[in-house]
């Protein structure tokens, strides 16, 4: 064929191969990598060690020093993979396991001690604040157990769980309250629940898109239809033929919501061209700055500023707020309120480098910070 025709056919055949390859069907090349992702995933934890807890309680600005990383290799095989609806959907559980990697960590998680906000105590105080009798009782227990606003525990305890004195005191009367607390308590070897994905068989643009999470096609945590939508993929797969103009949605069970990413720049990873997609400031902006976020502010008097998302609704009512690390893309007053924070794009930005033709992520870095919102609670000193 003459040259233009030849390249047209070459192009067509590449597209055909692509479409054939990017659907999830038993035996397809993408199926195996989707089911058991071969590239290593490293989960790194950093802690803010509060270095002046006593001065802070007396009214001073808090000082924190960042400690980390404590690195774990994360394994995420998909289990109980079941094809549904004539192969147009597939259901799976993503089972996460964490194995500690000492050579990629700064210290020994059994030995290194961190002083931080006493999360169980703050959660309990918040829970009982509307009952005079309950808060008086908890206040007495906290006194007799010498439980205060801060706690000091090893990295291992903070992550994987420790027996908390206050929770243990409450447990006999409220067996539904666990005696143990840990940020990742019971998360090793666990899954987030059943996820049903589109396979791309019906429409390749739907490849990897989440259809249902725990049996539901939308959430019911937030206060608007828009906020409750389960949009996009889980971040490990995207449709082929990406455009620089599109918004890529990702549903994150950790954040209890969907977020979106936009094109930032062209990059190259090991010789492969890629588009860098990153969440813009709009994603976590306050409802004043981005009215689309109105539904994420569950009770009007608790609406926060830009760059933070209160996720109490999916953390059993505990005052948990998520943000990017060091309040990156957040309001300056949050960063300025704490000594020891300095947001830097290179360190704190979440991004995905995607091959534009196939939609395959060739490098990715997802980052988040967990914050605890503390208020003065009447009944407690
Ligand atoms: C945290 O800070 C305390 C003092 O405020 C210090 O004793 C401790 O070693 C620090 N922890 C780490 C892991 O650096
Ligand atoms: C997978 O299926 C087996 C057998 O039906 C079941 O015992 C197991 O709990 C399932 N795994 C998950 C993660 O639900
Ligand atoms: C599956 O395919 C059959 C035959 O093509 C059709 O009758 C049936 O409605 C399809 N089922 C679903 C759930 O799409
Ligand atoms: C998680 O479980 C696996 C095996 O089930 C174990 O090898 C690993 O050490 C555990 N990780 C942690 C942090 O306890
Ligand atoms: C879901 O996508 C729709 C557009 O398709 C958008 O209007 C809505 O804000 C998105 N919701 C979330 C939570 O991402
Ligand atoms: C930062 O400003 C927002 C409103 O712009 C306000 O809601 C929030 O309380 C402020 N935070 C701090 C730590 O001052």
């Amino acid at each position: 064929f003459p040259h233009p025709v030849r390249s047209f056919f070459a192009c067509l055949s590449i597209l055909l191969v692509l479409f054939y390859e990017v659907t999830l069907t038993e035996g397809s090349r993408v199926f195996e990598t989707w089911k058991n992702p071969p590239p290593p995933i490293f989960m790194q934890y950093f802690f803010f060690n509060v270095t002046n807890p006593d001065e802070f309680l007396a009214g001073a600005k808090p000082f924190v020093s960042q400690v980390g990383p404590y690195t774990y290799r994360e394994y995420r095989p998909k289990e109980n993979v079941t094809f549904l609806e004539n192969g147009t959907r597939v259901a799976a559980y993503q089972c996460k396991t964490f194995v500690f990697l000492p050579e990629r960590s700064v210290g020994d998680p059994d030995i290194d001690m961190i002083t931080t906000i006493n999360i169980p105590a703050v959660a309990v105080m918040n829970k009982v604040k509307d009952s005079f009798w309950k808060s008086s009782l908890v206040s007495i227990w906290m006194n007799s157990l010498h439980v205060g606003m801060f706690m000091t525990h090893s990295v291992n305890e903070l992550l994987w769980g420790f027996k908390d004195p206050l929770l243990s005191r409450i447990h006999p009367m409220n067996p539904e309250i666990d005696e143990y607390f840990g940020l990742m308590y019971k998360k090793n070897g666990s899954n987030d629940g059943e996820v049903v994905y589109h396979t791309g068989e019906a429409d390749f643009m739907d490849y990897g898109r989440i259809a249902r999470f725990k049996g539901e096609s939308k959430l019911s945590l937030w206060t608007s239809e828009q906020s409750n939508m389960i949009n996009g993929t889980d971040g490990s797969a995207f449709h082929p033929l990406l455009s620089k103009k599109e918004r890529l949605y990702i549903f994150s069970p950790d954040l209890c919501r969907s977020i979106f990413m936009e094109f930032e720049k062209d990059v190259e990873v090991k010789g492969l061209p890629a588009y860098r997609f990153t969440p813009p400031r709009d994603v976590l902006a306050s409802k004043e700055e981005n009215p689309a976020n109105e539904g994420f502010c569950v009770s009007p008097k608790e609406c926060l500023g830009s760059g933070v998302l209160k996720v109490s609704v999916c953390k059993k009512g505990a005052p948990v707020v998520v943000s990017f690390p060091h309040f990156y893309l957040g309001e300056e007053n949050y960063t300025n309120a704490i000594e020891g924070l300095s947001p830097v794009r290179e360190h704190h930005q979440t991004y995905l480098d995607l091959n534009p033709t196939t939609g395959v992520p060739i490098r990715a870095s997802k980052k988040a910070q967990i914050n605890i919102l503390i208020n003065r609670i009447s009944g407690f000193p």
Side-chain angles (χ1 to χ4, degrees):
F1 290 116
H3 178 66
V5 179
R6 206 165 50 212
S7 65
F8 172 74
F9 274 100
C11 215
L12 189 67
S13 69
I14 288 170
L15 281 180
L16 285 176
V17 171
L18 208 64
F19 294 169
Y20 184 70
E21 280 286 347
V22 298
T23 57
L24 292 171
T25 42
E26 213 126 22
S28 80
R29 188 149 27 125
V30 288
F31 181 68
E32 282 313 312
T33 50
W34 174 81
K35 205 171 136 191
N36 215 337
I41 303 167
F42 298 107
M43 185 67 172
Q44 302 194 304
Y45 296 95
F46 294 81
F47 293 84
F48 287 119
N49 195 12
V50 180
T51 54
N52 66 340
D54 299 328
E55 292 83 346
F56 169 71
L57 288 174
K61 196 176 183 181
F63 275 66
V64 298
S65 93
Q66 181 176 297
V67 182
Y70 295 90
T71 307
Y72 294 79
R73 169 96 191 253
E74 185 178 341
Y75 296 87
R76 297 183 178 176
K78 295 204 171 62
E79 290 184 355
N80 293 11
V81 175
T82 321
F83 284 92
L84 309 167
E85 293 153 47
N86 291 348
T88 62
R89 312 265 164 99
V90 62
Y93 291 84
Q94 192 165 54
C95 194
K96 298 179 180 176
T97 309
F98 301 87
V99 176
F100 183 63
L101 299 176
E103 67 283 5
R104 285 172 175 259
S105 304
V106 290
D108 184 341
D110 270 326
I111 294 171
D112 295 357
M113 302 298 278
I114 305 291
T115 298
T116 187
I117 284 290
N118 189 338
I119 304 173
V122 173
V124 169
M125 289 190 279
N126 260 283
K127 200 127 209 164
V128 300
K129 68 176 177 222
D130 296 324
S131 152
F132 174 75
W133 297 110
K134 283 187 188 165
S135 53
S136 308
L137 195 58
V138 167
S139 182
I140 290 166
W141 287 341
M142 285 177 67
N143 245 317
S144 64
L145 295 166
H146 305 292
V147 168
M149 285 298 287
F150 286 92
M151 60 181 180
T152 299
H153 285 283
S154 71
V155 164
N156 249 343
E157 289 175 326
L158 287 175
L159 285 176
W160 308 106
F162 59 91
K163 196 165 179 222
D164 181 74
L166 183 61
L167 296 178
S168 302
R169 188 72 185 75
I170 296 168
H171 175 74
M173 280 150 285
N174 301 273
E176 77 282 1
I177 292 179
D178 210 302
E179 294 172 277
Y180 285 79
F181 171 82
L183 295 163
M184 296 293 291
Y185 178 55
K186 286 188 175 164
K187 290 276 167 67
N188 192 21
S190 77
N191 63 73
D192 291 323
E194 189 195 55
V195 182
V196 177
Y197 304 86
H198 289 271
T199 57
E201 272 285 291
D203 178 352
F204 73 92
M205 289 298 280
D206 277 344
Y207 166 67
R209 195 159 69 76
I210 295 174
R212 289 192 294 277
F213 175 62
K214 292 185 185 167
E216 304 290 338
S217 57
K218 58 180 181 3
L219 306 174
S220 51
L221 299 165
W222 309 106
T223 57
S224 77
E225 192 76 9
Q226 214 181 350
S227 316
N228 277 324
M229 289 172 75
I230 296 177
N231 286 342
T233 71
D234 62 7
S236 67
F238 293 91
H239 65 79
L241 307 179
L242 294 173
S243 145
K244 289 182 179 176
K245 294 202 184 71
E246 69 185 307
R247 273 189 174 178
L248 292 179
Y249 283 95
I250 294 174
F251 174 68
S252 165
D254 294 329
L255 296 180
C256 322
R257 63 167 282 190
S258 310
I259 61 165
F260 62 87
M261 301 207 176
E262 286 174 346
F263 175 79
E264 184 190 70
K265 59 180 179 188
D266 284 294
V267 292
E268 207 181 271
V269 186
K270 294 188 181 151
L272 289 170
Y275 289 175
R276 173 160 294 180
F277 278 80
T278 182
R281 182 178 159 102
D282 261 1
V283 167
L284 291 185
S286 65
K287 67 178 191 335
E288 287 78 20
E289 211 179 305
N290 178 8
N293 285 342
E294 172 135 36
F296 293 116
C297 175
V298 174
S299 84
K301 61 176 197 288
E302 289 187 358
C303 294
L304 302 173
S306 284
V308 294
L309 172 72
K310 193 165 185 212
V311 292
S312 308
V313 281
C314 66
K315 306 288 174 201
K316 299 179 190 149
V320 180
V321 171
V322 292
S323 66
F324 293 119
H326 294 233
F327 300 112
Y328 174 66
L329 297 184
E331 271 172 47
E332 264 187 6
N333 66 351
Y334 293 123
T335 316
N336 294 340
I338 298 169
E339 203 61 53
L341 300 184
S342 68
V344 179
R345 190 182 62 173
E346 289 71 44
H347 295 145
H348 304 132
Q349 182 189 44
T350 287
Y351 64 82
L352 278 171
D353 292 342
L354 305 171
N355 181 272
T357 319
T358 59
V360 171
I362 43 188
R363 180 167 62 194
S365 181
K366 185 175 145 184
K367 303 174 183 109
Q369 174 174 304
I370 300 173
N371 312 280
I372 306 299
L373 187 65
I374 51 179
N375 291 313
R376 181 173 290 284
I377 300 174
S378 64
F380 295 93

